[in-house]
Amino acid sequence: MTDSNCLFCKIIAGEIPSAKVYENEYVYAFKDINPQAPVHILVIPREHITSAAVINSDNSVWVSRCYEAIAEIAKQENLVGGFRVVSNAGADAGQTVFHLHFHILAGERLSDHMA
Ligand code: AMP
Ligand code: ZN
């Protein structure tokens, strides 16, 4: 399912340009437009799911697919020093795009504080 008003659904459809890093049948990954680390990649499922707050046993396979892609991307991008995965859900976390996504942050020693 897609949502015609959703920015990330539009990116998947190619209606809005993005800097592709990786894609497969289930997942699309691209560079964040406002990077917060030397490497900042967004990993999104091709299914429109609003956030981590609505994951259940019917749709959790999309989370697995994202994490399988994350491991592939870490190899492809040679993130040998490590990386951090973040998924913001809801207002307190500052979620701005309501299509489930995982930030991959890497390329430097990341803060010891996660929030
Ligand atoms: P969040 O705040 O967790 O919802 O993350 C949304 C992310 O999407 C932010 O880090 C934005 O910089 C990023 N973003 C917004 N629009 C675009 C775009 N057109 N291309 C790439 N990244 C984007
Ligand atoms: Zn969407």
Side-chain angles (χ1 to χ4, degrees), residues 51 53 88-98:
S51 82
N88 295 319
D92 279 359
Q95 185 181 8
T96 58
V97 180
F98 288 82

Side-chain angles (χ1 to χ4, degrees), residues 48-91:
H48 180 81
I49 296 169
T50 52
S51 82
V54 300
I55 298 302
N56 56 41
S57 58
D58 291 331
N59 64 17
S60 60
V61 66
W62 291 100
V63 176
S64 304
R65 288 166 174 163
C66 286
Y67 267 92
E68 288 164 18
I70 287 166
E72 288 300 315
I73 291 164
K75 276 182 246 166
Q76 176 188 297
E77 300 299 309
N78 200 30
L79 305 181
V80 289
F83 58 92
R84 179 171 291 161
V85 179
V86 174
S87 188
N88 295 319

